[in-house]
Amino acid sequence: AFLARMAKEIENVCYFKIETAGAASKLRELIRLGGEAIEGPWDGEEAITLLPDLQAGATGAMTGGGFPDGIRQIMDAWAAGDAEGATVAYGKWLPLINYENRQGGILTAKALMKAGGIIACEDPRHPFPAMHPEVRRGLLDTAKRLDPLVLRWGR
């Protein structure tokens, strides 16, 4: 209710990244209460909850940016009114989405970019710990099966 009130009362407050458990229910309520003042209700869980969040009215997602071509397949199908196509694309990319959301976190994009020759160093800033080597291996094995642009872009 507070976010909806902010959207209605404060100029330029109209986009919201919902990054919490039960995001779809919270998105529905935000949209219901805020109406037209809510221009951009977004999934904020690195797309792990993207499909239910889209069903709840989300218009986009805040992901880590490691594989936007995969997220785009989901979003393009959804925007075209093809819920089945979005569901199929979501299922296809879900293993990599899971790695970003539940395993590699914010280091996922860096690991993918290094593997693709885009950046030279994937080290995190101190004091954040490095990605475990086995998690990195699983991430890259999963990504290779999907062939995201990030693995080819810098080559």
Side-chain angles (χ1 to χ4, degrees):
F2 178 67
L3 296 178
R5 192 175 99 227
M6 287 176 61
K8 289 180 174 183
E9 296 176 5
I10 303 171
E11 186 177 356
N12 296 326
V13 174
C14 54
Y15 287 83
F16 299 88
K17 172 187 173 187
I18 306 302
E19 184 173 2
T20 185
S25 295
K26 291 175 178 155
L27 282 161
R28 279 187 184 91
E29 186 67 359
L30 174 65
I31 294 164
R32 184 184 74 76
L33 293 173
E36 291 183 14
I38 310 299
E39 291 182 32
W42 291 344
D43 162 85
E45 291 285 319
E46 293 84 27
I48 197 78
T49 60
L50 180 57
L51 202 55
D53 292 349
L54 289 171
Q55 293 164 348
T59 58
M62 296 286 290
T63 66
F67 43 96
D69 50 326
I71 300 301
R72 182 174 179 173
Q73 291 175 22
I74 302 163
M75 293 302 301
D76 283 354
W78 187 264
D82 181 5
E84 179 61 26
T87 301
V88 169
Y90 179 76
K92 174 183 173 183
W93 287 92
L94 188 54
L96 194 53
I97 291 168
N98 178 64
Y99 258 98
E100 179 181 44
N101 182 267
R102 299 289 188 220
Q103 306 301 320
I106 61 174
L107 299 179
T108 298
K110 291 181 85 171
L112 292 170
M113 287 182 195
K114 182 175 182 199
I118 298 166
I119 62 174
C121 178
E122 65 187 280
D123 294 343
R125 286 181 278 185
H126 181 76
F128 202 80
M131 184 183 292
H132 190 282
E134 291 302 317
V135 170
R136 186 179 191 280
R137 185 179 347 273
L139 165 68
L140 295 179
D141 287 348
T142 300
K144 287 174 187 171
R145 286 192 291 277
L146 294 165
D147 192 33
L149 178 61
V150 68
L151 294 181
R152 296 176 272 114
W153 195 357
R155 303 263 176 232

